[in-house]
Amino acid sequence: MSRFTFICARTTADFVVPLVAPNQAEFNRKVSLAFRGMVGGMLRVGDLLDRPVQDAVPYHLLCDGSEISRSQFPDLVDLLNPGAETANLPDYTGAVTITAPTVTQEVDDGGTVSTGGTVTDAGDVGGSTGGNVPSGGRVRQFLTDETADLP
């Protein structure tokens, strides 16, 4: 099976659920926008994505060793080669890295995943989740003008 690694070239906005709004219609609009944005998830510059196909992925570049410029991808160049005008993407062509898991994953008939770990703080790995919602996860709750009009 083939594997292709992509690197995220753009950080997307952090979507938030508003606590308040001037009126019910505005509140409903902002909640709807927040949840539509959450569907794709939060992307951060430098995050890696492995896929079985080499089809283009929005906001991601194939890790093939290509040179990129600051004018095209300023945040990614800052991450890969701080202070420079260009950087080379990591080259993962032909590389396969498989790490043995440290826990056993179990899925019950209801779709709950358990790794047998203990969750001690929000964001820790382990414990149980319902479907694909991370255990200990949370939604940041604040309202800003910057997030109000995001698609």
Side-chain angles (χ1 to χ4, degrees), residues 12-146:
T12 59
D14 196 3
F15 297 97
V16 296
V17 178
L19 292 177
V20 296
N23 57 55
Q24 187 65 47
E26 184 68 8
F27 179 80
N28 292 349
R29 182 183 78 80
K30 290 182 179 188
V31 168
S32 175
L33 288 172
F35 281 110
R36 274 192 283 155
M38 287 179 192
V39 171
M42 172 79 177
L43 301 175
R44 297 193 192 280
V45 169
D47 287 351
L48 296 177
L49 171 66
D50 285 331
R51 299 192 64 210
V53 294
Q54 60 183 343
D55 298 342
V57 180
Y59 310 120
H60 287 75
L61 300 170
L62 182 63
C63 290
D64 62 358
S66 300
E67 184 176 83
I68 58 172
S69 72
R70 176 174 299 285
S71 62
Q72 291 177 302
F73 306 102
D75 295 334
L76 188 55
V77 170
D78 279 342
L79 179 72
L80 298 174
N81 196 5
E85 289 301 312
T86 63
N88 285 78
L89 296 172
D91 188 356
Y92 294 127
T93 54
V96 175
T97 303
I98 300 173
T99 303
T102 58
V103 295
T104 302
Q105 175 176 280
E106 297 176 16
V107 182
D108 69 17
D109 292 338
T112 300
V113 179
S114 175
T115 58
T118 303
V119 176
T120 58
D121 193 9
D124 281 356
V125 177
S128 298
T129 64
N132 61 356
V133 179
S135 63
R138 60 181 177 226
V139 175
R140 288 182 22 196
Q141 298 180 334
F142 62 90
L143 179 64
T144 67
D145 292 336
E146 294 175 359

